[in-house]
Amino acid sequence: MGNSVNASKSTMILSILYFGWIVSYIDRTAVSLSIVQIGEDLSLDASKLGIVLSAFFMGYALMQIPGGWLADRFGSRKVIVTAVLFWSIFTALTGLAWSLTSLILIRFLFGIGEGGYPAASTKAISDYFPADKRTKAQSTMMSSNALGAALAPIICAPLLAWLGWRHVFWVISLLGIIVVIWFLLSTKHSGKYSVSDKAHKPNKEEYLQLLRNTYLWKVLLVFFFINIPNWGIMSWMPSYLMQVHGIDLKSVGLISAVPVLFLTIGMIISGRIINKVGANAKYGVIAGILILGVSLYLITLSASIVQVIIYQCIAFTFMSFVMSFIFTLPHRIMEQKVVGTAFGILNFGGQAAGIFSPMIMGALIASTGGSYKSAFLFLTVCCLIAAFIACLLPSAKSKEAANHPTAKIVG
């Protein structure tokens, strides 16, 4: 074993990885909050704005597997620094967009930049944490997704009202520079929990074995259908609150943050629960998906903003368990050397949902004259499909079984 990282150093590294995720969410959520202003400025209707929102996810999804491969092959440190610098540049360029075409291209390339970070940060957990600490560290790090989504509207909404949408993207792009400097300083003299760089570079056969793992692909499909509601809500909820319930932009920022705080806390707690329940986690996943679907349906029947927020809080609380199950899977069942690629494969499925979800919702909203009911019903149907696939997940007892192509794996 090489030079290991002491506890305080690991905590510092986890903190910067956490902050990096928050910055990524601030950068990507800003466009959802500013979508009404962008539409008015560039004369774009809901269907075209849906394409803009989906452009990011196309680049983001396409980069998931290459990002994991690069992290496994060349190390998490290089990939993280490159990814953050790349997405920060295109965050700033978003404020310079002058047409639908330019906006789609910039957001696609921005997605490419952010797409390298998820698998690389997951690989960093395996690099800088001992095996028995990785599941907790991973679930804690991924709770940043929810906190970032909660902080983004609080930070961006007032800035949008004050500066306008173009200037906001220039300002928040500077956060990426802070991430890079902090990460480089934190990892400068850190050791790793690995035998050697050569020993921990996967060979061709190990990659092929990973691709033949049927359990991994079933979880990918669950993530795809569960992330359609996730990204649908994130992309269109601000517009829904403003256009259907008449909430102003500043209030939307605060209101949108409340449900996501439930997701943040739920992610941290559920990671610990999954560690304890083992194979029975599968049934928690199924229950969580079904409750999420019912909650989304109830949102369409809500007559007040209070009801909307209550149902969204319930939805996000149970979504947290499903997300923790998926995000910690590579650390629980995969060998360290392929953790980055395994996470990239899983996250590809989840983020591919973002390509379709905003676009389909935008088309449904536009085709019904601005009504959001059919769009939310679409999200509920996707939850039912995800629950059905989750029922097909097998159960097993060991990491060794997990890496067998036809394995029955711990659920």
Side-chain angles (χ1 to χ4, degrees), residues 296-375:
L296 292 174
Y297 176 74
L298 292 174
I299 287 176
T300 66
L301 305 179
S302 300
S304 69
I305 189 64
V306 173
Q307 288 180 316
V308 171
I309 299 305
I310 289 173
Y311 291 135
Q312 195 179 348
C313 286
I314 295 172
F316 278 17
T317 298
F318 285 91
M319 184 190 291
S320 68
F321 188 91
V322 183
M323 293 301 185
S324 286
F325 174 83
I326 294 169
F327 289 144
T328 61
L329 191 73
H331 291 300
R332 288 185 286 113
I333 70 170
M334 299 296 172
E335 296 297 334
Q336 182 187 2
K337 62 175 69 178
V338 294
V339 160
T341 306
F343 188 88
I345 291 172
L346 281 177
N347 214 31
F348 168 76
Q351 307 317 318
I355 300 172
F356 303 101
S357 185
M359 195 185 312
I360 292 173
M361 287 188 71
L364 289 172
I365 293 166
S367 66
T368 54
S371 172
Y372 284 74
K373 287 187 177 180
S374 59

Side-chain angles (χ1 to χ4, degrees), residues 6-338:
N6 62 44
S8 61
K9 200 73 173 180
S10 293
T11 301
M12 177 62 72
I13 293 171
L14 180 59
S15 297
I16 180 54
L17 293 173
Y18 194 98
F19 181 65
W21 271 103
I22 289 177
V23 171
S24 76
Y25 262 75
I26 290 173
D27 288 355
R28 76 180 72 168
T29 305
V31 74
S32 297
L33 289 166
S34 59
I35 204 71
V36 174
Q37 288 186 12
I38 292 173
E40 293 173 352
D41 192 16
L42 300 180
S43 300
L44 304 175
D45 62 18
S47 61
K48 291 178 180 177
L49 290 173
I51 297 173
V52 171
L53 292 170
S54 292
F56 159 77
F57 293 103
M58 187 172 293
Y60 191 64
L62 288 175
M63 192 60 189
Q64 293 305 309
I65 298 176
W69 180 83
L70 289 169
D72 284 334
R73 201 73 185 169
F74 300 105
S76 59
R77 195 169 188 260
K78 292 178 182 178
V79 177
I80 286 173
V81 170
T82 303
V84 177
L85 285 175
F86 194 89
W87 95 53
S88 298
I89 291 170
F90 283 95
T91 297
L93 289 176
T94 301
L96 299 176
W98 63 92
S99 66
L100 175 63
T101 302
S102 66
L103 195 56
I104 290 173
L105 179 60
I106 290 169
R107 297 306 291 177
F108 172 78
L109 293 173
F110 167 72
I112 291 287
E114 283 211 353
Y117 189 76
S121 62
T122 297
K123 181 66 174 180
I125 293 294
S126 69
D127 283 342
Y128 300 112
F129 283 81
D132 62 335
K133 303 290 185 183
R134 288 171 193 162
T135 297
K136 290 182 180 179
Q138 179 76 6
S139 61
T140 299
M141 181 179 74
M142 299 309 291
S143 72
S144 61
N145 288 210
L147 184 59
L151 291 176
I154 294 174
I155 294 170
C156 294
L159 288 175
L160 283 166
W162 177 37
L163 299 174
W165 69 274
R166 293 185 183 276
H167 293 85
V168 166
F169 288 101
W170 302 342
V171 171
I172 62 177
S173 67
L174 299 176
L175 293 173
I177 307 303
I178 297 173
V179 172
V180 169
I181 295 173
W182 188 8
F183 181 72
L184 286 174
L185 291 175
S186 298
T187 58
K188 188 175 182 181
H189 301 295
S190 296
K192 293 183 179 181
Y193 286 94
S194 60
V195 178
S196 70
D197 289 339
K198 184 178 180 180
H200 276 254
K201 286 183 179 180
N203 56 42
K204 182 179 179 181
E205 180 55 37
E206 286 168 323
Y207 281 127
L208 290 174
Q209 184 173 308
L210 185 65
L211 293 175
R212 291 193 296 264
N213 191 315
T214 57
Y215 183 82
L216 191 68
W217 293 104
K218 288 177 183 177
V219 176
L220 180 150
L221 288 174
V222 171
F223 197 12
F224 174 81
F225 284 104
I226 202 66
N227 237 22
I228 287 179
N230 184 31
W231 287 123
I233 293 172
M234 293 295 185
S235 299
W236 284 105
M237 186 58 77
S239 298
Y240 171 76
L241 293 174
M242 286 187 281
Q243 295 176 347
V244 176
H245 291 277
I247 307 299
D248 63 76
L249 184 58
K250 289 183 179 179
S251 299
V252 164
L254 293 173
I255 291 171
S256 298
V258 176
V260 187
L261 288 175
F262 280 78
L263 183 58
T264 305
I265 297 170
M267 286 282 290
I268 295 173
I269 296 173
S270 58
R272 277 71 176 167
I273 296 174
I274 288 170
N275 252 353
K276 294 181 178 180
V277 299
N280 292 323
K282 164 186 171 179
Y283 303 103
V285 168
I286 297 169
I289 294 172
L290 291 174
I291 293 172
L292 168 63
V294 171
S295 300
L296 292 174
Y297 176 74
L298 292 174
I299 287 176
T300 66
L301 305 179
S302 300
S304 69
I305 189 64
V306 173
Q307 288 180 316
V308 171
I309 299 305
I310 289 173
Y311 291 135
Q312 195 179 348
C313 286
I314 295 172
F316 278 17
T317 298
F318 285 91
M319 184 190 291
S320 68
F321 188 91
V322 183
M323 293 301 185
S324 286
F325 174 83
I326 294 169
F327 289 144
T328 61
L329 191 73
H331 291 300
R332 288 185 286 113
I333 70 170
M334 299 296 172
E335 296 297 334
Q336 182 187 2
K337 62 175 69 178
V338 294

